[in-house]
Amino acid sequence: MTLVKRIIPCLDVAGGRVVKGVNFTDLIDAGDPVELARKYDQAGADELTFLDISASVEDRATTLEVVSRTAEEVFIPLTVGGGIRSVEDVNELLRAGADKISVNTAALIRPQLINEISERFGNQVLVLSVDARRADTESGFEVTTHGGRESAGVDALSWITDAVTRGVGEILLNSMDADGTRSGFDLEMLRKVREICDVPIIASGGAGKISDFSDALKAGADALLAASVFHFGEFSVADVKEDLRSAGFPIRTLN
Amino acid sequence: MIAILDYGSGNLRSAERAFALADSRIVVTNDPKLCLEADGLVVPGVGAFAACMSQLISVGGDEIIRERVENSKPIFGICVGMQILFDSSSEKTQTSGLGIFSGEVTQIKSQILPHMGWNTVKAAENSQLFDGIESETFYFVHSYAAKKPIPGALNSLTNYGEDFIASVERDFIVATQFHPEKSGSAGATLIKNWVAAL
């Protein structure tokens, strides 16, 4: 009896469609979110994440509808992030069928949001998404905003410590240095965060080859999130799991 | 007909859809008459124990559950919906539960919490609930658990830092610490097994 390591495909959703692109530019339509969610479920994904990158209020309403259609058909946990600013935003998404919510910029602007959400719904629904990069701060890593373009002026490790105390149940650690490079997860950052963090860590950013995943687990990740390597079909969730299994990690297999 | 107890806690839609795969008549309600008449009552629950208990009491859910127990009518508790069937929980403050199962719900001894993700459940021998899924993985999200197996019941265990109850079956009452409605096909089979036995 062992808790397995989770593989989490991430889908960028805008206006009710999955989009893909590089650094949020040159977006192309990649299909129906529900259909893709079903496909990933059947491929053995352990959870799914929708990142709402909608620009308009109308598109956000569409996201709620997408979440609800997905929850009706796909019986694995669904995390939704992007643009969540209030307890009411969280409530709407949970009622639509999301299981977990991830917050990022809004929590940086107003950290009390973390307390408010976890007091109402419990810390297990709340994932703190941290976009971090190397910088001249105490830990050597800082938090960024705007897709890694701007510094939030906060040390990554002290922000994570603060947020966990306030009440997040999980950390989604995105390496902005590694993101898009496909040269592997930022293992040094993972190790540092693992040392100070007593909630599960989802590693993200930089996955390029299959062995990158087991390296991240060795560095202390509990779960692994990836977008492009799965969407562009370079390898499948099953390929990654097979590699993890042969490396001796506990994984979930489908019958 | 299966009633899913609506007391403002838990992912009701997911529970509704997952149980609808096994039974065509699902009602999400806190109407006492419907809840008492139903062939099976599902008690979901997400969040902190004390908050769930007070919400449960505010809609009269405690009375509904007790009355079903008195009448030996099937109940299925999920996650905190399982925990509230115990005597008490030490989450945040000491809070009384319904005392249908004896024992306390306490924090899991593990360095990393919550216990979040898929874990194997070792099904109790002769478990009807786990028929055909005796060593599958199920989805857990919690930091507190009931650790002492309940005498005279079928206790299915899991381990994360220490052993605790993943599922318990005693006569007409079943409960799971994990979320069958989020546990893919293994969860769907478990729900079907329960519905088939009603």
Side-chain angles (χ1 to χ4, degrees):
Chain A
M1 294 176 281
T2 316
L3 184 67
V4 307
K5 302 297 180 183
R6 287 168 283 154
I7 303 296
I8 310 173
C10 177
L11 304 173
D12 289 341
V13 178
R17 301 290 289 176
V18 173
V19 291
K20 54 187 181 184
V22 180
N23 296 328
F24 299 107
T25 57
D26 304 326
L27 297 178
I28 55 166
D29 188 298
D32 175 38
V34 183
E35 220 167 276
L36 279 165
R38 206 187 294 125
K39 197 191 97 187
Y40 280 125
D41 174 27
Q42 284 160 2
D46 298 306
E47 286 185 35
L48 289 168
T49 290
F50 282 174
L51 184 62
D52 183 2
I53 58 167
S54 297
S56 71
V57 177
E58 294 77 37
D59 282 357
R60 292 209 170 274
T62 315
T63 298
L64 277 180
E65 194 243 336
V66 165
V67 168
S68 112
R69 281 198 295 132
T70 306
E72 288 188 0
E73 291 191 38
V74 180
F75 299 101
I76 58 172
L78 174 65
T79 302
V80 182
I84 291 153
R85 289 183 181 81
S86 68
V87 168
E88 197 36 49
D89 291 343
V90 175
N91 189 34
E92 275 188 340
L93 283 163
L94 293 177
R95 290 194 76 88
D99 299 289
K100 294 188 267 186
I101 300 301
S102 78
V103 292
N104 190 335
T105 315
L108 280 166
I109 294 167
R110 199 172 67 82
Q112 188 64 21
L113 177 63
I114 295 171
N115 305 64
E116 291 168 11
I117 295 170
S118 71
E119 273 157 30
R120 171 102 180 259
F121 304 104
N123 68 354
Q124 80 290 337
V125 306
L126 191 55
V127 181
L128 180 75
S129 178
V130 182
D131 295 339
R133 69 177 175 196
R134 277 146 211 276
D136 189 18
T137 61
E138 203 189 328
S139 71
F141 295 93
E142 70 170 357
V143 182
T144 68
T145 59
H146 301 84
R149 290 193 300 277
E150 288 176 30
S151 168
V154 184
D155 181 75
L157 267 66
S158 52
W159 171 229
I160 289 168
T161 306
D162 180 26
V164 169
T165 310
R166 288 175 182 276
V168 300
E170 210 168 13
I171 302 292
L172 170 57
L173 186 63
N174 311 304
S175 165
M176 300 320 286
D177 294 318
D179 196 36
T181 65
R182 307 216 177 166
S183 58
F185 296 93
D186 188 333
L187 303 179
E188 188 194 346
M189 181 164 79
L190 261 172
R191 281 187 207 104
K192 283 204 165 172
V193 174
R194 176 77 289 162
E195 270 173 32
I196 55 106
C197 177
D198 58 6
V199 301
I201 299 170
I202 306 164
S204 162
K209 56 183 188 301
I210 284 195
S211 62
D212 291 337
F213 290 86
S214 56
D215 288 343
L217 295 181
K218 283 175 204 150
D222 300 285
L224 304 159
L225 180 134
S228 56
V229 288
F230 293 140
H231 303 337
F232 291 106
E234 274 145 68
F235 42 82
S236 68
V237 173
D239 294 337
V240 173
K241 285 193 166 183
E242 192 42 51
D243 186 71
L244 294 181
R245 189 222 307 273
S246 55
F249 289 104
I251 51 143
R252 179 176 75 109
T253 48
L254 296 180
N255 289 327
Chain B
M1 184 259 288
I2 291 168
I4 297 176
L5 183 59
D6 180 1
Y7 63 104
S9 178
N11 194 333
L12 297 168
R13 183 190 283 270
S14 298
E16 182 185 2
R17 296 301 300 181
F19 281 83
L21 296 176
D23 191 303
S24 55
R25 291 170 308 150
I26 309 289
V27 186
V28 178
T29 182
N30 54 34
D31 177 79
K33 191 165 173 287
L34 279 174
C35 288
L36 293 170
E37 272 173 14
D39 302 309
L41 177 74
V42 178
V43 185
V46 165
F49 186 97
C52 281
M53 265 314 281
S54 71
Q55 283 170 284
L56 183 73
I57 291 166
S58 74
V59 302
D62 54 332
E63 288 307 317
I64 289 169
I65 293 169
R66 285 186 208 285
E67 200 167 331
R68 283 189 70 95
V69 172
E70 259 171 47
N71 297 329
S72 304
K73 299 197 82 171
I75 294 171
F76 190 156
I78 297 173
C79 196
V80 185
M82 162 177 164
Q83 296 182 357
I84 51 121
L85 301 176
F86 284 79
D87 286 329
S88 64
S89 167
S90 62
E91 184 174 355
K92 290 179 184 161
T93 57
Q94 195 71 25
T95 309
S96 292
L98 298 175
I100 291 160
F101 293 138
S102 62
E104 200 193 356
V105 176
T106 54
Q107 192 168 43
I108 300 166
K109 290 190 180 70
S110 174
Q111 212 178 346
I112 298 171
L113 287 176
H115 173 223
M116 186 174 301
W118 300 78
N119 203 332
T120 318
V121 175
K122 192 178 173 296
E125 255 180 71
N126 303 320
S127 163
Q128 203 169 17
L129 200 58
F130 288 87
D131 186 23
I133 41 171
E134 286 82 1
S135 50
E136 283 289 337
T137 51
F138 294 89
Y139 192 81
F140 291 81
V141 185
H142 63 123
S143 298
Y144 289 74
K147 297 163 191 174
K148 248 172 74 187
I150 295 158
L154 294 176
N155 295 277
S156 300
L157 305 182
T158 192
N159 180 284
Y160 182 68
E162 59 180 323
D163 282 356
F164 50 85
I165 300 177
S167 168
V168 57
E169 300 158 69
R170 192 181 70 190
D171 305 323
F172 51 90
I173 307 171
V174 311
T176 61
Q177 179 60 65
F178 56 84
H179 289 270
E181 78 282 12
K182 284 288 156 187
S183 295
S185 62
T189 302
L190 184 134
I191 290 169
K192 264 186 210 130
N193 287 344
W194 181 66
V195 170
L198 291 176

